[in-house]
Each structure stands twice: as structure tokens, then as C-alpha cells.
Amino acid sequence: MALPPAVELRRRNRAALLQQLHRHGPQTRAALTEALGLNRSTIGALATELAESGHIEETTGQSTGSAGRPSTLVACVPQSITVAAVEIRADRLRFALVGLGGEVLERSETALDEGADPMTAVSVITGGTAAASAEAVAAVPGLVDEGTVAHSTELGWIDRDAAADLEAATGREWQVVDTATAAAVGEWTRGDARDSRKLLYLHGGRGLTAGLVIEGRAQRGGSIQLGHIVVEPGGRECACGLRGCLEAEMEAFGFGEDFETTTLAAGMGDAAARDRLRRFGEDLGWALGAVVTATGPDEILFGGWLRELYLSTAAPVRSALAETTLPHLRSKLRLRTPVLGDEGALIGAAETGFAALFDQMR
Ligand SMILES: [Zn+2]
């Protein structure tokens, strides 16, 4: 049944105010009035209501201006809404409990033995806190379709119902997102890609994936399978069954396992290592050209081990991109490395949960 317009409007305004505070941090009522385009009395009524429900508190901040009068700041109460986030990798599991406003309330990490099933460690690392949180989101490297991991090079999973396995392990529902998309959400929300309209995040783990965030919203329906773009038709056989995929070439260069050795050797002047980096940089640039042509991002972030690759060998990536994309698409494109580094996917998984909560509140 539809809510009366006034009640619905109030719900929307309440969600907008909480989201504003969650993303931008404590601020004055005057700043909220301006940011949300609502009048002062509406903000006042919402603040009172949200303080009564325990979601926000008004605190006296540092004095501003020459008058020296302290300003009253509206801030989130972190414990009022919590989201559980897990990042699953082949060699480790990470957990964070994140509160409203983005504060990390709990954090833990555990190493996994080679070949061990991460699901067996999930209930231990999340403890009882996952069950008590408002949302729970897991970031998994690979092609994710709803709760199912259709293909993960890194984990060796094909068509695994990860959402069901996580629920069986912890006794609560989980949302599953791919690592690259989660990291893109993290960088857009908490990194310095906040102004990006179309943010493409490339994640280099044992496989290569990419995630897209458009106007702050994660692209639904799974990540971009960067690693399975064919760069050498009829080339080496890939684990996915195709031939000449970027990942197959990456494996031939030994990058999935031993990238650091190559960059170190290249840095010391080893001509063969330099050549391998340049050739892989070209392959990556060509695959990226196809993705840029299809999606038209304004910003590309190189994450995981691709960060080091980009820092050490940006030129072949850029020149391959220049050969394969329209000038119009290139002219507005920024290439960078992520500021959250290795934390992006875990933070982004939590932020994916908060985005879902704010949507439900509206
Ligand atoms: Zn492949």
C-alpha cells in the first residue's frame, strides 16, 4: 500500500540526511540545509527525530571564525547501524564491522592455507557480530551473478552459490559483490574519486577483473571480465576454455604469481624483464581499449598488483589505449592508482551494504 505523500517525503528526507552525514561527515545544520536543499525547520525536525531514534547526535565542535563561538555539529552515531563486510581471497580472509558514518568498529584478518575453502573460516572471523549487523556483504574476486560466483580464476570456483554457503556458515543473509566493483564503490565513497561520474576500477589478483560505478552506483549484473578479453586470437589456452585471453598471456609472463620479481628485475635494468613488462602493458592497454570503448569512463584506477604495473610501465598501456580508443573518449579520461590501496574492496563491500540500506529507507 502506498504511503501518504507527506509520510513518504519525510522518509526520503530522513534517508537523504543520514546518507549526507554518512558520506561527508559531521556538519552544521546550516550546511545540511544547504546541501539537501531543505528549509531550516525541516532539517530541525528531522534532526530531532533522528536524535531520538539514536542515529545522530549533536556535538559542540571546534570554534570557527574570529568570533570564537563553537559551532554545533550533527554527526552519525556509528553503533546505531552496522554493516558486516568480508573480503575473500585465495590466501586470506578479511572482516570489518563498519558503523554509520564509515567508522571501522572491528577488524580482523586471517591467512588461509593454499587450497583451503574460505567458507570454513568465515564464521570464525565474523564472530557473532555479522549476525547482529543490518547488512552483510562479501567481496569475491570473479564474475558474480546475484549470489552466485559464476567464475573465479583466483578461487577456482565455477557456479558456486556463495550467498547460500555464507548463510549456512553464519546464519544470516549475505549480499555478494565482485572485488573490483566493491573496490570501485570504496574509492568513490571514501577515496578521492568522489567526483568521478563513471569510475572504472581494475583489480589485479590471480585473475583480472574490472568494476564500474556510474554516478555513485555500482553497475548491476556482475563485473567486467577484463582477464578474459581475447588479446591474441588463437593464442594460449586459458583456464576458462577460450584462447588468447589477457589472463592466459599474464600467466605466460608469470605475473599472476611472481610479479614483484619481474618489476624488481626491470628496475635493476634487466632487459628481458623490461620487455615482458612492456609487452604485457601493451596487451593490457588493448584489452582496456575495448572496455573504454564499451563503457566510456572518465577515470580508471589500477588496483591490486596492476597498481605496481601501472606505476612501473604506464607508457605502453597509454600508447595501446591511444591506438584503440576514439579521441573523444580519451580526452576526458584520467588514469590513476587508488588511494585506499588494498583496503578498497573491504571498505567498498561495507559501503555497498550502506547503499542498500539507504535505498530501503527511501
Ligand atoms: Zn579466459
Side-chain angles (χ1 to χ4, degrees), residues 227-228 238-242 245 247:
H228 301 286
C238 180
C240 73
L242 299 175
C245 292
E247 267 183 28

Side-chain angles (χ1 to χ4, degrees), residues 151 153 227-230 237-248:
H151 181 99
T153 304
H228 301 286
I229 292 177
V230 174
E237 196 171 350
C238 180
C240 73
L242 299 175
R243 281 187 169 276
C245 292
L246 184 60
E247 267 183 28

